[in-house]
Each structure stands twice: as structure tokens, then as C-alpha cells.
Amino acid sequence: MGWRPALRSRSPAPGDGGGAGARVLGAEDLVEARRVCAREPVTGVLAAARLDIALHVGLAAAGGQVWGYPAAGDLRAVCWAGANLVPVVPSALDRSDADDAVAAFAAVAREQGRRSSSIVGERRTTLRLWELLSPVWPPPREVRTDQPSLVLDHDPQIDPDPRVRVSDLSELDLVLPACVRMFTEEVGYSPVAGGGSAYAARVRALIAERRSYVRIDPDDTGAPRVVFKAELGAVAGGVAQVQGVWVDPELRGRGLAASGMAAVVALTRQHVAPVVSLYVNGFNAPALATYRRVGFTQVGTFATVLF
């Protein structure tokens, strides 16, 4: 494992700890970083999926950096820094070590400046990281502090919707608008404003990888429309994280979400990974009730800082 110099902020926040420091990892460190994520397969799936890409095509093509803690010796925590900043601090670390890891990542993030559109991960880790960054990073659009992390590792408890299936690239012109509507509703702005080619490419890639699930029904004129959709946003280590669950607003309250998610779970467990996970805003009581009806149970709590 190659050693790289620790990066520290030029002006650390008082009492931020981080005495062991962190380093920017290279290709020679990726296997060890991946092992750290494997200790937290559900919490770490977002970072693990990016590391798997980096192991396959290289860090530059994966679209980000990996930071490792401590700066010297065996890795005990890692942080993916790309479109999302995703710290992975295993729960087995004692409180002091975990706090030092977060402070070390904050030092690197302060040094480099904000490049990510969000910070996301286990709640305590994410909120502590943001606490250390907030004096020097710009204000966020929103901080979501209570996002139950849910898991299902068995067959769904209700019948799957037989009309939910993997989407096809020929349906991109139908699927992309549904994805844009979901994102805009969830996050508060359109991902294709000003062009949005990266978002469209992401949707296209998910369809090509057979990680996009849809139900397409005819509308009143007979034209096809997406009435339910979901994607597997991250897959690694036997875990598939569902993202972007959406039902056409005109059809909500008819049970499409529950049976649709049951289908996504069944298809994912059959073809992709045995464990299906997701996280949801704690204030979204209808969604939580739907997922619990399908059979999901809470195993932790996430938080997200949106910029």
C-alpha cells in the first residue's frame, strides 16, 4: 500500500481533532479501501459502488477521489469524494477514533473546497462532518437529518406488480421525463436545467445496465406513459440500493408504489443482489408505511446535506 501525504486544512476549526490525518488514496489503495466498505455493506454501498468502478476502469474514469484514514498504516475509514461526498466510518471504531476520522476527512474537504452536490451517509458521521465544514463551505439548500435506512433480505410480503419490469433503451424518451419529474419533486430543482446532459447520461446508463424498473401504461389517449419507476442507484457487496422511487401524481393512493416496490425487490433479488436497501425522509410517512408493508425494516439512519 503506497503512502501519500496527509492533507490538512490551512485553518482548522477549533477542537476539530483529526490528529491522525487522512490521505488521498491511489490505485494501489483501492482494494484495502473496498475492504473498509465491506465492513458496512448497507451503509457503505454508495462508496463501495464507486470504488468497484474505480477498480475496473480507474479512479479518473470513476469521477472522484477516495480519502483514507489514517494517513499512515492500515485504513480504518474511507470517504468517497465525487458528485457526492460519502464518508464510511465503520461502527466498530470507538467514538474517539471515529471522530478523528471525520475530522481528518473534514480537513481534506476544507483544503480542496466544495466540489460535491451533497454529503450523504450514516447520520452521526454526516452531521459531524457538516458541522466541521459549515464554517468554511457555503450554506446548504437543505439538511435532512432523519432518513431511516431500510433493508429487505427476503421475498416481499405482498404480491409484486406483474407489469413492473426492466426498462429498455428504446424507452429512454419515456423514462427520462419521469426521472426528471421525480428529481425535481424530491430535490427542488430540475436536473436538466441548462442542458442537464450528465443527468440524462446517468439515466441512460442505468437503463443500459438493466437497473431501471418501470411500469408503463396507456394514458387517456392511448399513448404510453410511465406510472411507476425506480432505479438501483448503487450495487456492491451483495447490496442493491433503490433510488428514485416515483408514482405518477395522478395515480397515487392506488397501491402502485407498494406492489411496484415488491416487484423491484423480487426482480433485484433474483437477478442482481440478495439484499435490497433504501433510505427515505423520516417525514415521509406514506412512503415509510409503503416500504414497511412490502417488508423493509429499519437498520439505521442516514442524513443528507444538499447544496
Side-chain angles (χ1 to χ4, degrees):
M1 178 183 68
W3 182 86
R4 290 168 181 262
L7 294 182
R8 302 180 186 278
S9 67
R10 293 187 178 90
S11 53
D16 70 353
R23 68 180 185 271
V24 178
L25 303 183
E28 67 276 16
D29 303 305
L30 292 179
V31 171
E32 187 179 4
R34 186 63 183 78
R35 291 195 191 106
V36 173
C37 290
R39 297 170 196 157
E40 301 285 340
V42 173
T43 304
V45 66
L46 286 169
R50 303 311 301 177
L51 287 171
D52 285 350
I53 293 172
L55 283 164
H56 182 64
V57 300
L59 271 167
Q65 290 183 341
V66 195
W67 308 335
Y69 166 87
D74 295 338
L75 295 177
R76 299 200 289 276
V78 298
C79 184
W80 173 260
N84 306 302
L85 193 62
V86 187
V88 181
V89 179
S91 56
L93 295 186
D94 64 42
R95 179 63 64 88
S96 176
D97 207 16
D99 286 347
D100 281 352
V102 175
F105 296 147
V108 182
R110 288 195 300 268
E111 182 79 14
Q112 295 195 0
R114 186 180 73 81
R115 302 179 182 181
S116 303
S117 61
S118 72
I119 307 171
V120 59
E122 186 275 327
R123 177 167 60 184
R124 183 180 183 275
T125 298
T126 298
L127 295 180
R128 177 57 178 157
L129 182 56
W130 172 237
E131 181 183 4
L132 295 174
L133 292 175
S134 59
V136 291
W137 276 21
R141 289 186 301 104
E142 186 179 358
V143 179
R144 299 178 175 179
T145 62
D146 180 19
Q147 297 180 303
S149 172
L150 311 178
V151 162
L152 203 165
D153 60 0
H154 54 77
D155 291 339
Q157 295 179 171
I158 63 173
D159 291 336
D161 183 344
R163 301 185 67 174
V164 170
R165 56 175 174 78
V166 174
S167 63
D168 185 85
L169 276 175
S170 65
E171 299 166 323
L172 178 62
D173 288 344
L174 289 172
V175 177
L176 179 57
C179 292
V180 170
R181 290 179 70 186
M182 179 283 305
F183 187 100
T184 304
E185 183 180 324
E186 173 68 17
V187 182
Y189 67 90
S190 171
V192 295
S197 59
Y199 185 80
R202 171 65 171 163
V203 173
R204 182 183 180 88
L206 288 169
I207 295 174
E209 294 164 5
R210 300 180 62 81
R211 294 184 183 179
S212 165
Y213 298 91
V214 294
R215 172 173 164 171
I216 298 177
D217 289 351
D219 64 15
D220 293 340
T221 69
R225 66 169 176 174
V226 174
V227 300
F228 169 88
K229 69 101 189 163
E231 293 84 42
L232 303 182
V235 177
V239 177
Q241 187 183 89
V242 180
Q243 300 175 1
V245 180
W246 181 83
V247 173
D248 188 313
E250 295 180 3
L251 301 174
R252 291 175 186 172
R254 304 185 186 184
L256 289 176
S259 60
M261 277 301 301
V264 170
V265 167
L267 291 168
T268 299
R269 296 191 71 248
Q270 182 178 359
H271 300 292
V272 182
V275 178
V276 183
S277 73
L278 56 85
Y279 60 98
V280 60
N281 292 316
F283 58 76
N284 193 342
L288 279 167
T290 293
Y291 298 140
R292 287 168 178 154
R293 182 181 168 203
V294 175
F296 284 89
T297 58
Q298 185 171 354
V299 294
T301 305
F302 275 36
T304 303
V305 181
L306 295 167
F307 298 98

